[in-house]
Amino acid sequence: GAPLSTIYLVVATRNSASIHIWTMITNTLNASFWTAYGIAIGDYFIYVPNGIGAGLGAVQVLLLFVFPRKELIPGETNEVKTDTKKAVQETEEVSSADSPNKTVSDGESGV
């Protein structure tokens, strides 16, 4: 998948099974070669975007070693658990309710 979404998924699940290794290697090498070529000819429009792609590919390589691949149990997905998302939302709601600059949402009078 796309490097940023894959990086998020790997960090959230602590499992690098969502990284397709051969695609990651190919994309990282391709971006690295284009970055080198862009630097060699001094073309900003070639080396900047490809340098970013090479950097994100390097992050994926690092994550592959930091979070080893785990085989999934049948019926289990590699997606972030809904409970984790709910916990984050609840934490945000509690912290925003405690703030002195609470905004008035629809349906609340604030009085």
Side-chain angles (χ1 to χ4, degrees):
L4 286 176
S5 61
T6 302
I7 289 169
Y8 171 77
L9 185 61
V10 170
V11 171
T13 61
R14 298 192 172 284
N15 182 4
S16 64
S18 63
I19 297 176
H20 187 261
I21 295 173
W22 292 110
T23 302
M24 176 204 56
I25 291 169
T26 304
N27 287 340
T28 304
L29 287 174
N30 180 50
S32 299
F33 290 136
W34 276 108
T35 301
Y37 174 72
I39 291 170
I41 66 168
D43 191 338
Y44 175 83
F45 292 104
I46 293 177
Y47 72 77
V48 169
N50 285 291
I52 292 170
L56 290 173
V59 169
Q60 284 185 338
V61 171
L62 178 69
L63 289 175
L64 193 62
F65 291 106
V66 172
F67 300 116
R69 298 172 78 81
K70 299 174 191 169
E71 294 302 319
L72 296 176
I73 299 169
E76 187 177 296
T77 64
N78 225 10
E79 296 177 14
V80 179
K81 303 286 187 219
T82 308
D83 295 341
T84 305
K85 289 181 181 177
K86 285 181 183 177
V88 169
Q89 288 173 350
E90 289 171 1
T91 304
E92 290 172 352
E93 288 172 3
V94 168
S95 61
S96 67
D98 293 337
S99 75
N101 298 328
K102 182 179 177 186
T103 58
V104 178
S105 59
D106 294 336
E108 295 179 346
S109 65
V111 177

